Amino acid sequence: TQLLEQSPQFLSIQEGENLTVYCNSSSVFSSLQWYRQEPGEGPVLLVTVVTGGEVKKLKRLTFQFGDARKDSSLHITAAQTGDTGLYLCAVRNSGGSNYKLTFGKGTLLTVNP
Amino acid sequence: GAGVSQSPRYKVAKRGQDVALRCDPISGHVSLFWYQQALGQGPEFLTYFQNEAQLDKSGLPSDRFFAERPEGSVSTLKIQRTQKEDSAVYLCASSQGIANTEAFFGQGTRLTVV
């Protein structure tokens, strides 16, 4: 069983559309991170959310951490072709191994011109 | 360099061959990580170094996998007697601190075992 379930697995949309992707778990987390991985590149950190109910905005991207700190969503407004990539959520292990990141499988987003 | 550098970018190995993958972390970064990313999956933790000490190797899939960072900078991930299931992208990441600091990833090495 995956610790982090991401949905949808694949998403193909037209430029200008809005979209939301999700990261869900039955576990409670102290924080959650979102990464974007472009083809042939490593993941790049977009945001870290810490507080239940927290909303963070990064230009056209809006990140929300669930009230119970078990889930998160990423909303993109007016998608652009440059938003194409694999969106990964990740959490740090608790306790002494909090250097270790556990990732979901990701949502592969394709934005068509 | 400005970021984490990995080489080679692509490697094709015949089953049974040994391979060595190199990672040059960001200068001065204490922590170094290796992750394995299979096709259609998120990265999975392999091992962690703090300076030259390998503090966690719990994610290494088998004793065919070996990592080192002898001088606390450059790291090498070695895979002996490669198998088809070893085909994946191997990502290296480094961070300035010990825990809870941002990890910066390299571009990865795509290993294909034929």
Side-chain angles (χ1 to χ4, degrees):
Chain A
T1 304
Q2 280 279 114
L3 178 65
L4 298 171
E5 298 284 349
Q6 291 194 245
S7 61
Q9 192 174 354
F10 302 98
L11 187 57
S12 180
I13 61 170
Q14 295 300 121
E15 202 168 22
E17 292 183 358
N18 302 332
L19 66 113
T20 303
V21 298
Y22 302 92
C23 176
N24 296 302
S25 179
S26 57
S27 300
V28 177
F29 303 112
S30 58
S31 66
L32 185 145
Q33 298 182 331
W34 283 95
Y35 290 79
R36 177 168 63 213
Q37 184 175 22
E38 297 183 11
E41 302 291 328
V44 175
L45 179 65
L46 296 174
V47 77
T48 301
V49 286
V50 178
T51 307
E54 180 178 9
V55 176
K56 281 192 173 179
K57 292 195 174 184
L58 186 68
K59 297 182 180 178
R60 294 175 294 100
L61 278 60
T62 302
F63 304 85
Q64 184 161 12
F65 202 14
D67 291 341
R69 304 201 318 271
K70 292 182 178 182
D71 52 77
S72 182
S73 64
L74 159 58
H75 181 80
I76 301 179
T77 303
Q80 300 176 357
T81 55
D83 296 327
T84 291
L86 180 67
Y87 288 82
L88 295 157
C89 62
V91 293
R92 290 193 176 276
N93 279 31
S94 57
S97 61
N98 62 349
Y99 49 79
K100 189 186 301 188
L101 288 168
T102 299
F103 288 86
K105 288 187 177 183
T107 293
L108 185 60
L109 172 65
T110 303
V111 182
N112 302 297
Chain B
V4 178
S5 179
Q6 293 188 244
S7 61
R9 288 292 313 278
Y10 304 92
K11 177 69 179 178
V12 178
K14 290 186 178 179
R15 192 168 52 182
Q17 279 186 334
D18 297 349
V19 298
L21 312 180
R22 177 186 170 107
C23 172
D24 281 87
I26 294 172
S27 179
H29 276 196
V30 169
S31 296
L32 185 144
F33 311 84
W34 285 97
Y35 285 81
Q36 180 191 57
Q37 187 173 23
L39 192 64
Q41 305 291 319
E44 292 193 359
F45 173 83
L46 293 178
T47 187
Y48 166 58
F49 290 86
Q50 188 181 116
N51 295 308
E52 69 279 5
Q54 188 176 21
L55 299 187
D56 188 339
K57 52 182 181 180
S58 62
L60 296 177
S62 76
D63 58 9
R64 296 185 295 103
F65 286 70
F66 172 75
E68 60 183 5
R69 194 187 184 197
E71 296 177 358
S73 178
V74 171
S75 178
T76 304
L77 177 67
K78 297 179 179 178
I79 309 173
Q80 297 176 325
R81 304 181 305 280
T82 52
Q83 303 294 314
K84 285 200 170 183
E85 60 264 27
D86 299 334
S87 296
V89 174
Y90 290 86
L91 294 164
C92 176
S94 70
S95 65
Q96 192 169 26
I98 295 173
N100 266 335
T101 54
E102 182 178 354
F104 295 86
F105 285 82
Q107 293 174 304
T109 294
R110 180 177 294 279
L111 172 65
T112 303
V113 181
V114 297

